[in-house]
Amino acid sequence: RKLQFQPSPGRHSLDRLVRDEWSRGYYCAVAVLIRMNGGLADTTAVELFKAGGNGCEADEDDVKVFIEAGLIPNVRMSHAAESDLTNGT
């Protein structure tokens, strides 16, 4: 009987944790840049934000900065607007 290599399930979880922590740190730095610019996302901040992949992976406070700067749509408002449309209001 041949032995087959199977990665341990813990390794996948560790890789994901490291990637998630790196993403949060990356987006934290982008949010700091935006805050330093008075809440405005200049060209550099926009390019860094786009290069990061998915800004929704950032900490909640940083996501708020991105929403206020117009980099992430405010999903809660979108759901409310959708609800208004379906209810006829």
Side-chain angles (χ1 to χ4, degrees):
R1 179 173 126 149
K2 289 185 177 181
L3 294 177
Q4 293 181 341
F5 174 75
Q6 294 182 0
S8 67
R11 178 67 186 170
H12 178 71
S13 298
L14 179 61
D15 289 345
R16 181 173 176 88
L17 177 65
V18 169
R19 185 182 66 241
D20 290 349
E21 288 297 318
W22 187 93
S23 291
R24 279 193 284 279
Y26 179 88
Y27 282 111
C28 178
V30 175
V32 167
L33 177 63
I34 293 170
R35 286 185 192 106
M36 290 173 61
N37 288 330
L40 302 174
D42 63 6
T43 304
T44 302
V46 171
E47 292 301 318
L48 288 170
F49 178 83
K50 289 179 182 178
N54 183 1
C56 294
E57 295 175 356
D59 281 341
E60 186 176 332
D61 290 339
D62 297 333
V63 169
K64 289 177 187 176
V65 170
F66 301 143
I67 290 170
E68 291 170 4
L71 298 173
I72 295 178
N74 190 337
V75 176
R76 284 185 217 116
M77 288 179 64
S78 297
H79 286 304
E82 181 181 321
S83 176
D84 287 347
L85 288 174
T86 54
N87 293 331
T89 58

Coordinates of all heavy atoms in Angstrom, one line a residue:
R1 N 0.8 -1.2 0.0 CA 0.0 0.0 0.0 C 0.9 1.2 0.0 O 1.8 1.4 0.8 CB -0.9 -0.1 1.2 CG -1.8 1.0 1.4 CD -2.7 0.7 2.6 NE -2.6 1.8 3.6 CZ -3.6 2.2 4.3 NH1 -4.7 1.5 4.3 NH2 -3.5 3.1 5.2
K2 N 0.6 2.2 -0.9 CA 1.4 3.4 -1.0 C 0.9 4.4 0.0 O -0.4 4.6 0.2 CB 1.3 4.0 -2.4 CG 2.0 3.2 -3.5 CD 2.0 4.0 -4.8 CE 2.8 3.2 -5.8 NZ 2.8 3.9 -7.1
L3 N 1.8 5.2 0.5 CA 1.4 6.3 1.4 C 1.3 7.5 0.5 O 2.1 7.8 -0.3 CB 2.5 6.5 2.5 CG 2.7 5.4 3.5 CD1 3.8 5.8 4.4 CD2 1.4 5.3 4.3
Q4 N 0.2 8.2 0.8 CA 0.0 9.5 0.0 C 0.1 10.7 1.0 O -0.3 10.6 2.1 CB -1.4 9.5 -0.6 CG -1.5 8.5 -1.7 CD -2.9 8.6 -2.4 OE1 -3.8 9.1 -1.8 NE2 -3.0 8.0 -3.6
F5 N 0.8 11.7 0.5 CA 0.9 12.9 1.3 C -0.4 13.6 1.3 O -1.0 13.9 0.3 CB 2.0 13.8 0.7 CG 2.1 15.1 1.4 CD1 2.7 15.2 2.6 CD2 1.6 16.3 0.8 CE1 2.8 16.4 3.3 CE2 1.7 17.5 1.5 CZ 2.3 17.5 2.7
Q6 N -0.8 13.9 2.5 CA -2.0 14.8 2.7 C -1.6 15.9 3.7 O -1.2 15.6 4.9 CB -3.1 13.9 3.3 CG -3.6 12.9 2.3 CD -4.8 12.1 2.9 OE1 -5.2 12.4 4.0 NE2 -5.3 11.2 2.1
P7 N -1.7 17.1 3.3 CA -1.4 18.2 4.2 C -2.3 18.2 5.4 O -3.5 17.8 5.3 CB -1.6 19.4 3.4 CG -2.4 19.1 2.2 CD -2.2 17.6 2.0
S8 N -1.8 18.5 6.5 CA -2.7 18.5 7.7 C -3.7 19.6 7.6 O -3.4 20.7 7.0 CB -1.8 18.7 9.0 OG -1.2 20.0 9.0
P9 N -4.9 19.4 8.1 CA -5.9 20.5 8.0 C -5.5 21.8 8.7 O -6.0 22.8 8.3 CB -7.1 19.8 8.7 CG -6.7 18.6 9.2 CD -5.3 18.3 8.8
G10 N -4.7 21.7 9.7 CA -4.3 22.9 10.5 C -3.4 23.8 9.6 O -3.4 25.0 9.8
R11 N -2.7 23.3 8.7 CA -1.8 24.1 7.8 C -2.6 25.1 7.0 O -2.3 26.2 6.9 CB -0.9 23.2 6.9 CG 0.0 24.0 6.0 CD 1.0 24.7 6.8 NE 1.8 25.5 5.8 CZ 2.6 26.4 6.2 NH1 2.9 26.7 7.5 NH2 3.3 27.1 5.3
H12 N -3.7 24.6 6.4 CA -4.6 25.4 5.6 C -5.2 26.6 6.4 O -5.2 27.7 6.0 CB -5.7 24.6 5.0 CG -6.7 25.4 4.2 ND1 -6.3 25.9 2.9 CD2 -8.0 25.8 4.4 CE1 -7.4 26.6 2.5 NE2 -8.4 26.5 3.3
S13 N -5.6 26.2 7.6 CA -6.1 27.3 8.5 C -5.1 28.3 8.9 O -5.4 29.5 9.0 CB -6.7 26.6 9.8 OG -7.7 25.7 9.5
L14 N -3.9 27.8 9.1 CA -2.8 28.7 9.5 C -2.4 29.7 8.3 O -2.3 30.9 8.5 CB -1.5 28.0 9.9 CG -0.3 28.8 10.3 CD1 -0.6 29.7 11.5 CD2 0.9 27.9 10.6
D15 N -2.4 29.1 7.1 CA -2.1 29.9 5.9 C -3.2 31.0 5.8 O -2.9 32.1 5.5 CB -2.1 29.1 4.6 CG -0.9 28.2 4.6 OD1 0.1 28.4 5.3 OD2 -0.9 27.2 3.8
R16 N -4.5 30.6 6.0 CA -5.6 31.6 5.8 C -5.4 32.7 6.9 O -5.7 33.8 6.6 CB -6.9 30.9 5.9 CG -8.1 31.8 5.8 CD -9.4 31.1 5.7 NE -10.5 32.0 5.7 CZ -11.0 32.5 4.5 NH1 -10.5 32.2 3.4 NH2 -12.0 33.3 4.6
L17 N -5.1 32.3 8.1 CA -5.0 33.2 9.2 C -3.9 34.2 8.9 O -4.1 35.5 9.1 CB -4.7 32.5 10.5 CG -4.4 33.4 11.7 CD1 -5.7 34.2 12.1 CD2 -3.9 32.6 12.9
V18 N -2.7 33.8 8.4 CA -1.6 34.7 8.1 C -2.0 35.6 7.0 O -1.8 36.8 7.0 CB -0.4 33.8 7.7 CG1 0.7 34.7 7.1 CG2 0.2 33.1 8.9
R19 N -2.7 35.1 5.9 CA -3.1 35.9 4.8 C -4.1 37.0 5.3 O -4.1 38.1 4.9 CB -3.7 35.1 3.7 CG -4.1 35.9 2.5 CD -4.8 35.0 1.4 NE -6.0 34.5 1.8 CZ -6.4 33.2 2.0 NH1 -5.5 32.3 1.7 NH2 -7.6 32.9 2.4
D20 N -5.1 36.6 6.1 CA -6.1 37.5 6.7 C -5.4 38.6 7.5 O -5.8 39.8 7.4 CB -7.1 36.8 7.5 CG -8.0 35.9 6.6 OD1 -8.0 36.0 5.4 OD2 -8.8 35.1 7.2
E21 N -4.5 38.2 8.3 CA -3.8 39.2 9.2 C -3.0 40.2 8.3 O -3.0 41.4 8.6 CB -2.9 38.5 10.2 CG -3.7 37.8 11.3 CD -4.5 38.8 12.2 OE1 -4.0 39.9 12.5 OE2 -5.6 38.5 12.5
W22 N -2.3 39.6 7.3 CA -1.6 40.5 6.4 C -2.5 41.5 5.7 O -2.2 42.7 5.6 CB -0.8 39.6 5.3 CG 0.1 40.5 4.5 CD1 1.4 40.7 4.7 CD2 -0.2 41.2 3.3 NE1 1.9 41.5 3.7 CE2 0.9 41.8 2.8 CE3 -1.4 41.3 2.5 CZ2 1.0 42.6 1.7 CZ3 -1.4 42.1 1.4 CH2 -0.2 42.7 1.0
S23 N -3.7 41.0 5.2 CA -4.6 41.9 4.5 C -5.1 43.0 5.5 O -5.2 44.1 5.0 CB -5.8 41.1 4.0 OG -5.5 40.2 3.0
R24 N -5.4 42.6 6.7 CA -5.9 43.6 7.6 C -4.8 44.7 7.9 O -5.1 45.9 7.9 CB -6.3 43.0 9.0 CG -7.7 42.4 8.9 CD -8.3 42.1 10.3 NE -7.7 40.9 10.8 CZ -8.1 39.6 10.5 NH1 -9.0 39.5 9.6 NH2 -7.5 38.6 11.0
G25 N -3.6 44.3 8.0 CA -2.5 45.2 8.2 C -2.3 46.1 7.0 O -2.1 47.3 7.1
Y26 N -2.4 45.5 5.8 CA -2.2 46.3 4.5 C -3.3 47.3 4.4 O -3.0 48.5 4.2 CB -2.3 45.3 3.3 CG -2.2 46.0 2.0 CD1 -1.0 46.2 1.4 CD2 -3.4 46.5 1.3 CE1 -0.9 46.8 0.2 CE2 -3.3 47.1 0.1 CZ -2.0 47.3 -0.5 OH -1.9 47.9 -1.7
Y27 N -4.6 46.9 4.7 CA -5.7 47.9 4.6 C -5.7 48.9 5.7 O -6.1 50.0 5.5 CB -7.0 47.2 4.5 CG -7.2 46.6 3.1 CD1 -7.2 45.3 2.8 CD2 -7.4 47.5 2.0 CE1 -7.4 44.8 1.5 CE2 -7.6 47.0 0.7 CZ -7.6 45.7 0.5 OH -7.7 45.2 -0.8
C28 N -5.1 48.5 6.8 CA -4.9 49.5 7.9 C -4.0 50.6 7.5 O -4.3 51.8 7.7 CB -4.4 48.8 9.2 SG -4.1 49.9 10.5
A29 N -2.9 50.3 6.8 CA -2.0 51.3 6.3 C -2.7 52.2 5.3 O -2.5 53.4 5.2 CB -0.8 50.6 5.7
V30 N -3.5 51.6 4.4 CA -4.2 52.4 3.4 C -5.2 53.3 4.1 O -5.3 54.5 3.7 CB -4.9 51.5 2.3 CG1 -5.7 52.3 1.4 CG2 -3.9 50.6 1.6
A31 N -5.9 52.8 5.1 CA -6.8 53.7 5.8 C -6.1 54.8 6.5 O -6.6 56.0 6.6 CB -7.6 52.8 6.8
V32 N -5.0 54.6 7.1 CA -4.2 55.6 7.7 C -3.8 56.7 6.7 O -3.9 57.9 7.0 CB -2.9 55.0 8.4 CG1 -1.9 56.2 8.8 CG2 -3.3 54.2 9.6
L33 N -3.4 56.3 5.5 CA -3.1 57.2 4.4 C -4.3 58.1 4.1 O -4.2 59.3 4.0 CB -2.6 56.5 3.2 CG -2.3 57.4 2.0 CD1 -1.1 58.3 2.3 CD2 -2.0 56.5 0.8
I34 N -5.5 57.5 4.0 CA -6.7 58.3 3.7 C -7.0 59.2 4.9 O -7.3 60.4 4.6 CB -7.9 57.3 3.5 CG1 -7.6 56.6 2.1 CG2 -9.2 58.1 3.4 CD1 -8.6 55.4 1.9
R35 N -6.8 58.8 6.1 CA -7.1 59.7 7.3 C -6.1 60.8 7.2 O -6.5 62.0 7.6 CB -6.9 58.9 8.6 CG -8.1 58.0 8.8 CD -8.0 57.3 10.2 NE -8.9 56.2 10.4 CZ -8.6 54.9 10.4 NH1 -7.3 54.5 10.2 NH2 -9.5 54.0 10.5
M36 N -4.9 60.6 6.9 CA -3.8 61.6 6.8 C -4.2 62.7 5.7 O -3.8 63.8 5.8 CB -2.5 61.0 6.6 CG -1.9 60.3 7.7 SD -0.4 59.4 7.4 CE 0.7 60.7 7.0
N37 N -4.9 62.2 4.7 CA -5.4 63.1 3.7 C -6.7 63.8 4.0 O -7.4 64.2 3.1 CB -5.5 62.4 2.3 CG -4.1 62.0 1.8 OD1 -3.1 62.8 2.0 ND2 -4.0 60.9 1.0
G38 N -7.1 63.8 5.2 CA -8.4 64.4 5.6 C -9.6 63.6 5.2 O -10.7 64.2 5.0
G39 N -9.4 62.3 5.0 CA -10.6 61.5 4.7 C -10.8 61.3 3.2 O -11.7 60.7 2.7
L40 N -9.9 61.9 2.4 CA -10.0 61.9 0.9 C -9.1 60.8 0.4 O -7.9 60.7 0.8 CB -9.6 63.2 0.3 CG -10.5 64.4 0.8 CD1 -9.9 65.7 0.2 CD2 -11.9 64.2 0.4
A41 N -9.6 60.0 -0.5 CA -8.8 59.0 -1.2 C -8.2 59.6 -2.5 O -8.8 59.8 -3.5 CB -9.7 57.8 -1.6
D42 N -6.9 60.0 -2.4 CA -6.2 60.5 -3.5 C -5.8 59.4 -4.5 O -6.1 58.2 -4.2 CB -5.0 61.3 -3.1 CG -3.9 60.5 -2.4 OD1 -4.0 59.3 -2.3 OD2 -2.9 61.1 -1.9
T43 N -5.2 59.7 -5.6 CA -4.8 58.7 -6.6 C -4.0 57.5 -6.0 O -4.2 56.4 -6.2 CB -4.1 59.3 -7.7 OG1 -4.9 60.4 -8.3 CG2 -3.8 58.3 -8.8
T44 N -3.0 57.9 -5.1 CA -2.2 56.9 -4.5 C -3.0 55.9 -3.6 O -2.9 54.7 -3.7 CB -1.1 57.5 -3.7 OG1 -0.3 58.4 -4.5 CG2 -0.2 56.5 -3.0
A45 N -3.9 56.5 -2.8 CA -4.7 55.7 -1.9 C -5.6 54.8 -2.7 O -5.8 53.6 -2.4 CB -5.5 56.6 -1.0
V46 N -6.2 55.3 -3.8 CA -7.1 54.5 -4.6 C -6.3 53.3 -5.3 O -6.8 52.2 -5.2 CB -7.8 55.4 -5.7 CG1 -8.5 54.5 -6.7 CG2 -8.7 56.4 -5.1
E47 N -5.2 53.6 -5.8 CA -4.4 52.5 -6.4 C -3.9 51.5 -5.4 O -4.0 50.3 -5.7 CB -3.1 53.1 -7.1 CG -3.5 54.0 -8.3 CD -4.3 53.2 -9.4 OE1 -3.9 52.0 -9.7 OE2 -5.2 53.7 -9.9
L48 N -3.5 51.9 -4.2 CA -3.1 51.0 -3.1 C -4.3 50.1 -2.7 O -4.2 48.9 -2.5 CB -2.5 51.7 -1.9 CG -1.1 52.3 -2.1 CD1 -0.8 53.2 -1.0 CD2 -0.1 51.2 -2.3
F49 N -5.5 50.8 -2.6 CA -6.7 50.1 -2.2 C -7.0 49.0 -3.2 O -7.3 47.8 -2.9 CB -7.9 51.1 -2.1 CG -9.2 50.4 -1.8 CD1 -9.5 50.1 -0.5 CD2 -10.1 50.1 -2.8 CE1 -10.7 49.4 -0.1 CE2 -11.3 49.5 -2.5 CZ -11.6 49.1 -1.2
K50 N -7.0 49.4 -4.5 CA -7.3 48.4 -5.6 C -6.3 47.3 -5.6 O -6.6 46.1 -5.9 CB -7.3 49.1 -6.9 CG -8.5 50.0 -7.1 CD -8.5 50.7 -8.5 CE -9.6 51.6 -8.7 NZ -9.5 52.3 -10.0
A51 N -5.0 47.5 -5.3 CA -4.0 46.5 -5.4 C -4.1 45.5 -4.3 O -3.6 44.4 -4.4 CB -2.6 47.2 -5.3
G52 N -4.8 45.9 -3.2 CA -4.9 45.0 -2.1 C -5.8 43.8 -2.3 O -5.8 42.8 -1.6
G53 N -6.7 43.8 -3.3 CA -7.6 42.7 -3.5 C -9.0 43.0 -3.1 O -9.8 43.5 -3.8
N54 N -9.3 42.7 -1.8 CA -10.7 42.9 -1.3 C -10.7 43.7 0.0 O -10.4 43.2 1.1 CB -11.3 41.5 -1.1 CG -12.7 41.6 -0.6 OD1 -13.3 42.6 -0.5 ND2 -13.3 40.4 -0.3
G55 N -11.0 45.0 -0.1 CA -11.0 45.9 1.0 C -12.0 45.5 2.1 O -11.9 45.9 3.2
C56 N -13.0 44.6 1.8 CA -13.9 44.2 2.8 C -13.3 43.3 3.8 O -13.9 43.0 4.8 CB -15.1 43.5 2.1 SG -16.1 44.5 1.1
E57 N -12.0 42.8 3.6 CA -11.3 42.0 4.5 C -10.7 42.8 5.6 O -10.1 42.3 6.6 CB -10.2 41.2 3.8 CG -10.8 40.2 2.8 CD -9.7 39.5 2.0 OE1 -8.6 39.8 2.2 OE2 -10.1 38.6 1.3
A58 N -10.8 44.2 5.5 CA -10.2 45.1 6.5 C -10.9 45.0 7.8 O -12.1 44.6 7.9 CB -10.1 46.5 5.9
D59 N -10.3 45.6 8.9 CA -11.0 45.8 10.1 C -12.3 46.7 9.9 O -12.3 47.5 9.0 CB -10.1 46.4 11.2 CG -9.2 45.4 11.8 OD1 -9.4 44.2 11.7 OD2 -8.2 45.9 12.4
E60 N -13.2 46.5 10.8 CA -14.5 47.3 10.6 C -14.2 48.8 10.6 O -14.9 49.5 9.8 CB -15.4 46.9 11.8 CG -16.8 47.5 11.7 CD -17.7 47.1 12.8 OE1 -17.5 46.0 13.4 OE2 -18.6 47.9 13.2
D61 N -13.3 49.3 11.5 CA -13.1 50.8 11.5 C -12.5 51.2 10.1 O -12.8 52.3 9.6 CB -12.1 51.2 12.6 CG -12.8 51.0 14.0 OD1 -14.1 51.1 14.0 OD2 -12.1 50.9 15.0
D62 N -11.6 50.4 9.5 CA -11.0 50.8 8.3 C -12.0 50.7 7.1 O -12.0 51.5 6.2 CB -9.8 49.9 8.0 CG -8.7 50.0 9.0 OD1 -8.6 51.1 9.6 OD2 -7.9 49.1 9.2
V63 N -12.9 49.7 7.2 CA -14.0 49.6 6.2 C -14.8 50.9 6.2 O -15.2 51.4 5.2 CB -14.9 48.3 6.4 CG1 -16.1 48.4 5.5 CG2 -14.1 47.1 6.1
K64 N -15.1 51.4 7.4 CA -15.9 52.7 7.5 C -15.1 53.8 6.8 O -15.8 54.6 6.1 CB -16.1 53.0 9.0 CG -17.1 52.1 9.7 CD -17.2 52.5 11.1 CE -18.1 51.5 11.9 NZ -18.1 51.8 13.3
V65 N -13.8 53.8 6.9 CA -13.0 54.9 6.2 C -13.2 54.7 4.7 O -13.4 55.7 4.0 CB -11.5 54.8 6.6 CG1 -10.7 55.7 5.8 CG2 -11.3 55.2 8.1
F66 N -13.1 53.5 4.3 CA -13.2 53.2 2.8 C -14.6 53.6 2.3 O -14.8 54.1 1.2 CB -12.9 51.7 2.5 CG -11.5 51.4 2.9 CD1 -11.2 50.1 3.4 CD2 -10.4 52.2 2.8 CE1 -10.0 49.7 3.8 CE2 -9.2 51.9 3.2 CZ -8.9 50.6 3.7
I67 N -15.7 53.3 3.1 CA -17.0 53.7 2.7 C -17.1 55.2 2.6 O -17.6 55.7 1.6 CB -18.1 53.1 3.7 CG1 -18.1 51.6 3.6 CG2 -19.4 53.7 3.5 CD1 -18.9 50.9 4.7
E68 N -16.6 55.9 3.6 CA -16.7 57.3 3.6 C -15.9 58.0 2.5 O -16.3 59.0 2.0 CB -16.2 57.9 5.0 CG -17.2 57.6 6.1 CD -16.6 57.9 7.5 OE1 -15.5 58.4 7.6 OE2 -17.3 57.6 8.5
A69 N -14.8 57.3 2.1 CA -14.0 57.8 1.0 C -14.6 57.4 -0.4 O -14.0 57.8 -1.4 CB -12.6 57.3 1.2
G70 N -15.6 56.6 -0.4 CA -16.2 56.2 -1.6 C -15.6 55.0 -2.3 O -15.8 54.7 -3.5
L71 N -14.7 54.3 -1.6 CA -14.0 53.1 -2.2 C -14.8 51.8 -2.1 O -14.6 50.9 -2.8 CB -12.6 52.9 -1.5 CG -11.7 54.1 -1.7 CD1 -10.4 53.9 -0.9 CD2 -11.4 54.3 -3.2
I72 N -15.7 51.7 -1.1 CA -16.6 50.6 -0.9 C -18.0 51.1 -0.8 O -18.3 52.0 0.0 CB -16.2 49.8 0.4 CG1 -14.8 49.2 0.4 CG2 -17.3 48.7 0.7 CD1 -14.4 48.5 1.6
P73 N -18.9 50.5 -1.5 CA -20.3 51.0 -1.4 C -20.9 50.6 0.0 O -20.5 49.6 0.5 CB -21.1 50.2 -2.5 CG -20.2 49.1 -2.9 CD -18.8 49.5 -2.5
N74 N -21.7 51.4 0.5 CA -22.3 51.1 1.8 C -23.4 50.1 1.6 O -24.5 50.4 1.2 CB -22.9 52.4 2.4 CG -23.3 52.2 3.9 OD1 -23.6 51.1 4.3 ND2 -23.3 53.3 4.6
V75 N -23.1 48.8 1.9 CA -24.0 47.7 1.6 C -25.3 47.9 2.4 O -26.4 47.6 1.9 CB -23.3 46.4 1.9 CG1 -24.3 45.2 1.8 CG2 -22.1 46.2 1.0
R76 N -25.2 48.4 3.7 CA -26.4 48.5 4.5 C -27.4 49.4 3.8 O -28.6 49.2 3.8 CB -26.1 49.0 5.9 CG -25.5 47.9 6.7 CD -25.2 48.4 8.1 NE -24.0 47.7 8.6 CZ -22.9 48.4 8.9 NH1 -22.9 49.7 8.8 NH2 -21.8 47.7 9.3
M77 N -26.9 50.5 3.3 CA -27.8 51.5 2.6 C -28.4 50.9 1.3 O -29.5 51.1 1.0 CB -27.0 52.8 2.2 CG -26.7 53.6 3.5 SD -25.8 55.1 3.1 CE -26.9 56.0 2.1
S78 N -27.6 50.1 0.6 CA -28.1 49.4 -0.6 C -29.2 48.5 -0.3 O -30.2 48.4 -1.0 CB -26.9 48.7 -1.3 OG -25.9 49.6 -1.7
H79 N -29.1 47.7 0.8 CA -30.1 46.8 1.2 C -31.4 47.6 1.6 O -32.5 47.2 1.3 CB -29.7 45.9 2.4 CG -28.7 44.8 1.9 ND1 -29.0 43.9 0.9 CD2 -27.5 44.5 2.4 CE1 -28.0 43.1 0.8 NE2 -27.1 43.4 1.6
A80 N -31.2 48.7 2.3 CA -32.4 49.5 2.7 C -33.1 50.0 1.5 O -34.3 50.0 1.4 CB -31.9 50.6 3.6
A81 N -32.3 50.5 0.5 CA -32.9 51.1 -0.7 C -33.6 49.9 -1.5 O -34.7 50.2 -2.0 CB -31.8 51.7 -1.6
E82 N -33.0 48.8 -1.5 CA -33.7 47.6 -2.2 C -35.0 47.3 -1.5 O -36.0 47.0 -2.1 CB -32.7 46.4 -2.2 CG -33.3 45.2 -2.9 CD -32.3 44.0 -2.8 OE1 -31.1 44.3 -2.9 OE2 -32.8 42.9 -2.6
S83 N -35.0 47.3 -0.2 CA -36.2 47.0 0.6 C -37.3 48.0 0.3 O -38.4 47.7 0.1 CB -35.9 47.0 2.1 OG -37.0 46.8 2.8
D84 N -36.9 49.3 0.2 CA -37.9 50.3 -0.1 C -38.5 50.1 -1.5 O -39.7 50.3 -1.7 CB -37.2 51.7 -0.1 CG -36.9 52.2 1.3 OD1 -37.4 51.6 2.3 OD2 -36.1 53.1 1.5
L85 N -37.7 49.7 -2.4 CA -38.2 49.4 -3.8 C -39.2 48.3 -3.8 O -40.2 48.3 -4.5 CB -37.0 49.2 -4.8 CG -36.2 50.4 -5.1 CD1 -35.0 49.9 -6.0 CD2 -37.0 51.4 -5.9
T86 N -38.8 47.2 -3.1 CA -39.7 46.0 -3.1 C -41.0 46.3 -2.3 O -42.0 45.7 -2.6 CB -39.0 44.8 -2.6 OG1 -38.5 45.1 -1.3 CG2 -37.9 44.3 -3.5
N87 N -40.9 47.2 -1.4 CA -42.1 47.5 -0.6 C -43.0 48.6 -1.2 O -44.0 49.0 -0.7 CB -41.8 47.9 0.9 CG -41.2 46.7 1.6 OD1 -41.5 45.6 1.4 ND2 -40.3 47.0 2.6
G88 N -42.5 49.2 -2.3 CA -43.2 50.2 -3.0 C -43.2 51.6 -2.3 O -44.0 52.4 -2.5
T89 N -42.1 51.8 -1.4 CA -42.0 53.1 -0.7 C -41.0 54.0 -1.4 O -40.3 53.6 -2.2 CB -41.7 52.9 0.8 OG1 -40.5 52.2 0.9 CG2 -42.8 52.2 1.5

